[in-house]
Amino acid sequence: PASAEPLEQSGKLQVQTASAEHFFDQSGNAFGGLHAALRQGLMTSKKRIKPGKIEVSADKTALIINYTTEVTTLDEDGNPNDVEKVPGSKEIPVSKALSNIGPEDVPGLALDIVEQCKYIPTSKTKQVETLLQKLHPTWNSKVHAGDAERRRPSNPTGTRSTMEPWAPAASTNGSSRGPGWRPSDFLPAANEDCLDDYAEALYEDTMEAKAAGAKKILRLCTNAPLLEIVASHSMVLGVISRELRENAKRSHDLTIAVTGVFACFSHFTQFHSALTSNQCGDATMKVLEYELKRR
C-alpha cells in the first residue's frame, strides 16, 4: 500500500494491471486465460489437398481440376481439433496444345499435365487422357483426320521457305527413326501459355530442372508459328544463351536442348538479329570448340 502510490504515479501499476488481465479468463480463473493463450500458441495446423472431379470447361478449351483444401487444426497434443474445408478449382488450357499434336501424342500430354499439376493424382492419368482424346480435333472422326493429313504442306526439298508447322518427311524405311521422327518422340509436351514457367525453370538450382525447362521451350520452337511468341518473350533467348555459356559442361541434355532452340530460330532470317543480340551464335561456337577439343 505504501509503495503502491509511487508505482501508480509512475504508470507501472497500470501496465502490470493491464498485463495481468490477460491471465484471467471470463470466469475469473486466475490462470485460465494464461493457459488458453499458451495453448493457442502451441496449436498447429495441417493442410491437405483432396483431389476432386476433373471435367471439361464449357467452351471445351480447357480442363477444370476441382479440389478441396482441408486445413486441420491440431491441439498441443497433436490431436485434431477442427477441420476447415475450402473448395477450389484450377483451369488448364489445352486447346492450343492439342492442335499442335496428333492423337498418338495425347497420352504423353496427359502424363505431362498430371506431372505438372499438384491437384491431379497419378491414379487419374487415364481419366485425363480420355478427356483430352475427346477434346482432340480428330476425335472419333477419321474423315477429319484424313483431311488434316492432306492439308500438310508438301515440301520435297525438306527446306522451309515459310513459317509452317512442323511436318517432317516420312521415313523411307518405315521405322520411327531418322527423318520420320516427330518432336513428340523425344520432347515433352509444351504449351505456349506456360512459357513463363519454362523460363523460370532455367533459374532452378538443379541441372535436371533447367534441362526440363529448355526441352519444353525447344518443343514450342519446333512449331514454327510459335517462334515469334518465344522470340518476343522478354527473357527466354537471353537466359538460355547464358545457361549454355555457364552450364554446357555440366549438362548434356541442357546443351542439346538450347542449341536445338537456336537451330530452330536460325532457319528464319527475321530472327537472326535476336540471335545475334543475345550472343546465341557465340555461345554455340564455344560449345563446339569445347566438344572438338574433348574428342
Side-chain angles (χ1 to χ4, degrees):
S3 60
E5 187 173 353
L7 285 172
E8 186 175 359
Q9 290 175 354
S10 65
K12 294 181 180 179
L13 184 60
Q14 286 87 336
V15 174
Q16 292 172 356
T17 304
S19 299
E21 289 177 358
H22 295 286
F23 299 152
F24 293 84
D25 59 15
Q26 294 179 351
S27 63
N29 184 6
F31 292 98
L34 176 61
H35 180 265
L38 290 173
R39 185 175 62 181
Q40 180 92 17
L42 290 172
M43 291 173 66
T44 58
S45 61
K46 181 173 63 175
K47 184 169 72 172
R48 183 172 77 96
I49 303 297
K50 187 175 181 180
K53 184 179 179 182
I54 303 176
E55 51 192 357
V56 176
S57 63
D59 59 359
K60 299 186 183 301
T61 63
L63 294 180
I64 305 297
I65 314 301
N66 297 289
Y67 61 91
T68 301
T69 303
E70 294 184 352
V71 181
T72 304
T73 304
L74 308 176
D75 60 20
E76 65 271 24
D77 298 322
N79 298 316
N81 189 39
D82 183 47
V83 179
E84 180 183 4
K85 298 183 178 181
V86 182
S89 64
K90 178 178 176 64
E91 182 173 317
I92 302 178
V94 296
S95 59
K96 291 182 179 179
L98 287 172
S99 66
N100 293 330
I101 64 175
E104 70 277 5
D105 299 323
V106 169
L109 176 60
L111 186 59
D112 283 336
I113 290 175
V114 172
E115 289 177 349
Q116 295 177 29
C117 183
K118 64 180 180 180
Y119 302 114
I120 309 178
T122 55
S123 59
K124 291 194 175 185
T125 303
K126 191 64 179 178
Q127 181 182 351
V128 173
E129 179 183 334
T130 300
L131 292 175
L132 291 177
Q133 287 175 340
K134 292 181 178 179
L135 291 175
H136 195 275
T138 59
W139 166 253
N140 208 20
S141 178
K142 293 182 179 180
V143 174
H144 290 172
D147 291 342
E149 185 69 24
R150 286 192 294 272
R151 284 196 299 269
R152 285 183 179 173
S154 175
N155 196 349
T157 63
T159 59
R160 290 187 179 88
S161 56
T162 58
M163 293 186 63
E164 61 195 29
W166 179 277
S171 175
T172 56
N173 59 7
S175 69
S176 60
R177 305 181 65 84
W181 277 12
R182 294 176 178 271
S184 56
D185 293 335
F186 51 90
L187 290 173
N191 189 326
E192 62 266 34
D193 294 331
C194 301
L195 183 56
D196 286 338
D197 296 334
Y198 307 153
E200 289 177 5
L202 298 170
Y203 289 97
E204 295 290 341
D205 295 331
T206 65
M207 289 296 107
E208 290 78 7
K210 292 177 183 288
K215 287 179 180 179
K216 290 179 180 179
I217 293 173
L218 174 57
R219 177 65 183 273
L220 293 180
C221 292
T222 59
N223 190 359
L226 300 181
L227 286 173
E228 291 185 1
I229 296 176
V230 178
S232 62
H233 194 277
S234 60
M235 53 189 263
V236 168
L237 285 177
V239 172
I240 62 175
S241 178
R242 185 202 66 204
E243 288 297 326
L244 185 62
R245 289 193 298 271
E246 297 179 357
N247 296 310
K249 299 178 182 179
R250 299 177 59 190
S251 173
H252 179 73
D253 286 348
L254 177 65
T255 300
I256 294 298
V258 173
T259 52
V261 170
F262 296 163
C264 291
F265 279 106
S266 68
H267 284 290
F268 306 99
T269 56
Q270 60 263 48
F271 299 121
H272 287 182
S273 60
L275 294 174
T276 302
S277 62
N278 288 284
Q279 300 179 340
C280 300
D282 179 66
T284 303
M285 290 304 298
K286 288 182 178 178
V287 171
L288 291 175
E289 290 174 2
Y290 169 74
E291 292 295 333
L292 288 173
K293 291 178 181 178
R294 215 164 56 94
R295 292 170 188 273

